[in-house]
């Protein structure tokens, strides 16, 4: 299309939907239609680069977010991506888990029925198999819903009439059993992706980067491993995959997420692992048609794939659409949340807010990516791209590090090897602070000094890590070496047993109750195991009690106090 033709076309479209100032015309258009048009024109602006007077100004679109059909107020001027509200998140996750744990069996049975019929009819000398396969699927009955105790879906018929809405209004469609099956598979894949993102907070790129390298399907996906907990009492499920954000060039970084924990010897399978296993079960035969090793794959056509290379890696835009369709088709939302526009990054914002809501003192933990052990969000952190949130977290971490070091310099009782090191260099700190006349000036001066050294505090229940890469036992335990490039603790390896012997830990007064309780419980366990003759467990409890006692003594708690505490 030459410039004249493009100008004529664009001018016509603008005349239909815009006034002379390129302001959208509202009269005669539904909100959905006007938002669809303005978004479409904005995306096509690159085709009209040589016609600046017909460009949709970027300033008109910046910060604009359309919140879906049925919203009386239309588009909202939001500066950041919102978190999923509870009115959407709770029913969405509940329905997604039902699909993973209950409805998936029906869909997989229906897939096997399809595959058997397809294999039988493929032997025929014909290029038209859809009619025969549809006939083989007619009459399939679905199991009962755990909520209604009625079939969660009507049995398959020759044709099903459905009514759907888009920006052009309501439309009726007639679906064959094959159409229904494809929709069910797509909905199940969407439900699985929602469960994984919902319980890990990983980015869409990280979700789609998960790979299945094993030739045979086992108990776990190849991207998930089970590791013993630090005390050999629990199994820890760890998911491994690439992190593309922040990577240099095409060299992605390896990421690990704790996705579940169970007592050793039990058979519980976490939600995320169940969802990944369901994806692999659903796409088992599809994988024979592609060389892609991704966990999430999708048919390249609108029907069921039959030919080699008929499937491939799931695309981000495709999965976003499937998640939105799942929300619209299967989740009953309250009126206040009707028409919610779901984006994958909203899961991360939701978790960040939940962590702060549960414990405002846990804001520094949001530095790390979320690690969810169960439905109730166990620990540890989150890394996002919300600069306002990250600024708050960094500021809080810096202030906390300053307060910890100031407390040690002032002679307050603080335990830990890092506290001993700071005391040895207290003269240097006092020299820097000697000209400060007020406590506020001292704090600001010390804060600048600490900030210039890149020191941040990483607090938790049992103490605060003033991180130094060269002495970080967590990195040595998790990676087998001290990572000189590391700037923060390794959350998957961070625990009281390891950190209490690390040179980076300081234990202040706010952590004393943790160590008192740890001493009490382990002293009781030591006596119990010793009485039962369980020497190994008694030694473990004794070692933990002694470590707790040493830290408590650094806070001036006497032996008599420790006996009373036990």
């Amino acid at each position: 299309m030459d410039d004249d033709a493009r100008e004529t076309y664009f001018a016509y479209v603008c005349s239909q939907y815009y006034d002379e100032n390129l302001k959208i015309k509202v009269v005669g258009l539904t909100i959905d239609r006007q938002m669809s048009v303005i978004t479409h024109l904005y995306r096509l602006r690159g085709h009209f680069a040589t016609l600046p007077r017909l460009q949709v100004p970027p300033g008109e679109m910046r910060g604009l977010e359309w919140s879906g059909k049925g919203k009386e107020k239309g588009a909202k001027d939001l500066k950041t991506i919102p978190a999923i509200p509870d009115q959407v998140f709770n029913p969405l996750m509940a329905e997604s888990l039902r699909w993973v744990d209950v409805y998936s069996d029906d869909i997989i049975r229906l897939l096997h029925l399809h595959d058997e019929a397809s294999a039988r009819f493929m032997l025929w000398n014909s290029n038209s198999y859809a009619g025969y396969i549809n006939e083989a699927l007619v009459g399939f009955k679905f199991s009962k819903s755990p909520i209604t105790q009625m079939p969660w879906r009507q049995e398959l018929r020759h044709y099903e009439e459905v009514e759907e809405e888009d920006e052009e209004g309501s439309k009726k469609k007639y679906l064959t059993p094959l159409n229904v099956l494809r929709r069910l598979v797509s909905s199940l894949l969407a439900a699985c992706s929602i469960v994984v993102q919902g319980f890990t907070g990983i980015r869409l790129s990280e979700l789609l980067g998960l790979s299945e390298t094993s030739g045979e399907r086992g108990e776990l996906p190849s991207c998930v491993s089970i590791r013993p907990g630090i005390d050999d009492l629990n199994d820890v499920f760890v998911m491994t995959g690439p992190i593309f954000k922040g990577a240099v060039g095409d060299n992605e970084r390896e990421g690990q997420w704790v996705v579940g924990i169970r007592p050793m010897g039990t058979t519980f399978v976490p939600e995320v692992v169940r969802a990944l296993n369901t994806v692999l079960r659903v796409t088992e035969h599809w994988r024979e048609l592609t060389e892609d090793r991704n966990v999430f794959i999708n048919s390249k056509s609108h029907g069921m794939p039959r030919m080699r290379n008929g499937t491939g890696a799931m695309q981000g835009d495709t999965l976003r659409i499937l998640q939105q369709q799942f929300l619209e088709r299967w989740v009953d939302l309250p009126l206040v949340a009707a028409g919610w526009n779901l984006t994958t990054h909203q899961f991360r914002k939701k978790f960040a807010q939940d962590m702060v809501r549960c414990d405002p003192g846990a804001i520094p933990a949001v530095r790390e990516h979320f690690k969810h052990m169960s439905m109730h969000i166990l620990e540890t952190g989150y890394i996002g791209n919300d600069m306002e949130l990250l600024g708050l977290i960094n500021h809080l971490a810096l202030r906390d590090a300053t307060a910890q070091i100031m407390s040690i310099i002032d002679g307050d009782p603080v335990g830990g090897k890092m506290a001993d090191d700071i005391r040895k260099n207290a003269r240097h700190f006092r020299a820097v602070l000697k000209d400060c006349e007020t406590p506020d000036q001292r704090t600001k001066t010390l804060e600048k000094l600490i900030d210039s050294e890149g020191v941040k505090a990483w607090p938790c229940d049992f103490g605060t890590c003033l991180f130094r890469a060269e002495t970080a036992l967590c990195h040595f335990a998790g990676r087998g070496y001290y990572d000189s490039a590391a700037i923060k603790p390794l959350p998957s390896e961070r625990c009281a047993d390891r950190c209490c012997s690390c040179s980076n830990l300081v234990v202040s007064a706010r952590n004393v109750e943790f160590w008192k309780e740890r001493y009490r419980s382990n002293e009781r366990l030591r006596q119990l195991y010793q009485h039962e003759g369980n020497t190994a467990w008694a030694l473990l409890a004794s070692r933990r009690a002694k470590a707790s006692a040493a830290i408590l003594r650094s806070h001036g708690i006497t032996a008599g106090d420790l006996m009373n505490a036990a």
Side-chain angles (χ1 to χ4, degrees):
M1 183 184 294
D2 58 26
D3 283 355
D4 290 340
R6 282 201 300 269
E7 181 167 354
T8 300
Y9 168 73
F10 202 74
Y12 167 75
V13 174
C14 287
S15 69
Q16 298 296 307
Y17 302 112
Y18 296 91
D19 60 22
E20 62 275 8
N21 297 318
L22 278 182
K23 298 296 183 180
I24 193 166
K25 295 179 179 178
V26 179
V27 179
L29 286 177
T30 64
I31 294 175
D32 294 307
R33 182 60 176 165
Q34 77 179 45
M35 289 306 305
S36 173
V37 170
I38 190 171
T39 302
H40 184 66
L41 292 179
Y42 179 70
R43 289 175 177 173
L44 290 178
R45 66 192 185 282
H47 296 290
F48 303 92
T50 60
L51 304 170
R53 74 181 185 84
L54 295 180
Q55 289 284 299
V56 176
E60 295 293 324
M61 297 296 291
R62 186 175 295 113
L64 195 66
E65 178 170 313
W66 172 231
S67 55
K69 295 183 285 293
K71 291 289 186 180
E72 295 182 359
K73 294 182 180 180
K76 295 181 179 180
D77 186 11
L78 300 176
K79 295 181 179 180
T80 60
I81 299 174
I84 306 176
D86 290 339
Q87 300 95 323
V88 176
F89 183 81
N90 292 339
L92 174 63
M93 298 308 297
E95 185 66 24
S96 297
L97 283 170
R98 271 193 291 273
W99 277 71
V100 170
D101 293 332
V102 182
Y103 304 157
S104 61
D105 288 339
D106 283 346
I107 297 173
I108 291 171
R109 285 196 299 117
L110 188 57
L111 272 173
H112 289 164
L113 187 62
H114 164 272
D115 293 340
E116 292 172 0
S118 180
R120 185 167 62 251
F121 297 132
M122 283 290 286
L123 300 176
W124 294 11
N125 186 21
S126 172
N127 290 323
S128 178
Y129 312 104
Y132 302 108
I133 297 176
N134 279 324
E135 193 66 32
L137 301 182
V138 169
F140 182 89
K141 291 182 171 57
F142 295 85
S143 59
K144 293 181 179 180
S145 166
I147 299 178
T148 64
Q149 296 304 312
M150 298 289 290
W152 64 274
R153 197 190 184 284
Q154 64 182 9
E155 66 180 54
L156 292 187
R157 304 173 182 175
H158 287 90
Y159 290 98
E160 293 185 10
E161 180 180 319
V162 296
E163 187 169 333
E164 296 183 344
E165 293 187 2
D166 58 19
E167 63 273 6
E168 296 180 352
S170 178
K171 292 182 179 180
K172 289 184 178 181
K173 293 184 179 181
Y174 295 89
L175 305 180
T176 66
L178 274 173
N179 297 143
V180 173
L181 174 58
R182 178 56 198 276
R183 283 194 170 201
L184 291 176
V185 171
S186 296
S187 294
L188 181 55
L189 293 177
C192 292
S193 70
I194 289 169
V195 169
V196 175
Q197 286 196 286
F199 293 147
T200 63
I202 63 175
R203 299 180 180 90
L204 179 61
S205 61
E206 295 159 359
L207 175 74
L208 299 182
L210 298 175
S211 62
E212 173 59 28
T213 57
S214 176
E216 298 182 359
R217 185 165 55 83
E219 179 185 359
L220 296 176
S222 59
C223 59
V224 176
S225 60
I226 298 179
R227 302 176 184 176
I230 189 66
D231 52 10
D232 291 328
L233 294 178
N234 297 307
D235 290 328
V236 179
F237 292 79
V238 179
M239 184 174 70
T240 302
I243 298 177
F244 300 97
K245 189 176 182 65
V248 179
D250 297 328
N251 300 319
E252 71 272 7
R253 298 177 290 121
E254 182 183 87
Q256 293 184 337
W257 300 269
V258 174
V259 297
I261 189 170
R262 70 183 179 193
M264 191 170 290
T266 61
T267 59
F268 171 74
V269 179
E271 293 84 356
V272 172
V273 181
R274 300 203 302 268
L276 294 175
N277 277 334
T278 300
V279 173
L280 297 178
R281 290 174 62 199
V282 170
T283 59
E284 186 172 7
H285 289 173
W286 291 15
R287 296 181 181 280
E288 301 171 359
L289 306 176
T290 180
E291 296 180 357
D292 285 296
R293 296 296 92 195
N294 303 78
V295 171
F296 282 88
I297 60 175
N298 195 42
S299 174
K300 294 181 180 179
S301 65
H302 293 292
M304 302 297 290
R306 294 188 296 113
M307 307 299 292
R308 176 69 60 180
N309 296 325
T311 62
M314 178 81 75
Q315 300 299 307
D317 287 343
T318 301
L319 189 57
R320 290 188 190 96
I321 293 172
L322 294 182
Q323 289 184 351
Q324 182 67 38
Q325 289 177 344
F326 181 87
L327 178 64
E328 294 173 354
R329 292 173 179 172
W330 299 104
V331 182
D332 292 328
L333 297 178
L335 184 61
V336 67
W340 182 263
N341 182 43
L342 183 67
T343 63
T344 59
H345 201 75
Q346 293 173 9
F347 291 108
R348 298 171 70 78
K349 296 297 185 71
K350 168 65 174 171
F351 284 129
Q353 291 186 7
D354 279 349
M355 176 170 281
V356 175
R357 190 180 298 123
C358 292
D359 180 9
I363 290 180
V366 182
R367 294 172 177 275
E368 298 296 339
H369 199 275
F370 265 47
K371 309 293 192 293
H372 288 277
M373 297 290 199
S374 70
M375 290 282 290
H376 301 290
I377 306 176
L378 187 63
E379 257 250 83
T380 51
Y382 170 84
I383 300 175
N385 60 1
D386 186 326
M387 298 309 296
E388 182 178 355
L389 178 60
L390 288 178
L392 172 62
I393 294 169
N394 276 318
H395 179 67
L396 183 61
L398 178 61
R399 293 299 298 269
D400 193 17
T402 303
Q404 292 281 353
I405 295 175
M406 185 71 74
S407 179
I408 298 170
I409 296 172
D410 290 342
D412 295 337
V414 178
K417 294 183 178 180
M418 172 63 86
D420 294 336
D421 291 343
I422 294 174
R423 290 190 189 98
K424 292 178 183 178
N425 294 280
R427 182 181 302 176
H428 167 71
F429 288 106
R430 293 191 182 98
V432 174
L433 301 174
K434 66 179 182 179
D435 295 329
C436 299
E437 298 179 355
T438 65
D440 186 56
Q441 289 178 345
R442 296 181 72 211
T443 298
K444 289 182 179 180
T445 301
L446 185 57
E447 186 175 305
K448 290 180 181 179
L449 176 62
I450 294 173
D451 191 26
S452 66
E453 297 294 330
V455 177
K456 298 293 191 300
W458 301 81
C460 60
D461 290 344
F462 52 80
T464 300
C465 177
L466 298 181
F467 186 77
R468 293 179 297 178
E470 64 273 15
T471 56
L473 289 183
C474 56
H475 282 271
F476 184 81
R479 307 185 188 279
Y481 60 91
Y482 291 105
D483 185 0
S484 60
I487 59 174
K488 53 198 172 187
L490 193 62
S492 61
E493 304 296 334
R494 197 178 182 193
C495 62
D497 279 341
R498 179 171 293 122
C499 293
C500 70
S501 59
C502 180
S503 297
N504 293 348
L505 185 72
V506 297
V507 180
S508 58
R510 67 189 182 190
N511 309 119
V512 166
E513 288 304 318
F514 173 91
W515 292 102
K516 282 185 177 181
E517 179 57 32
R518 186 174 175 84
Y519 177 83
R520 294 188 195 104
S521 61
N522 279 282
E523 182 62 18
R524 286 194 297 264
L525 288 174
R526 182 194 65 78
Q527 296 174 9
L528 175 64
Y529 290 138
Q530 197 171 46
H531 177 72
E532 294 176 348
N534 193 332
T535 305
W537 289 106
L539 287 174
L540 175 62
S542 176
R543 185 170 69 245
R544 289 176 170 172
K546 288 180 179 178
S548 301
I551 290 175
L552 290 171
R553 280 196 296 271
S554 69
H555 285 269
I557 299 177
T558 65
D561 294 329
L562 295 179
M563 291 299 294
N564 294 332

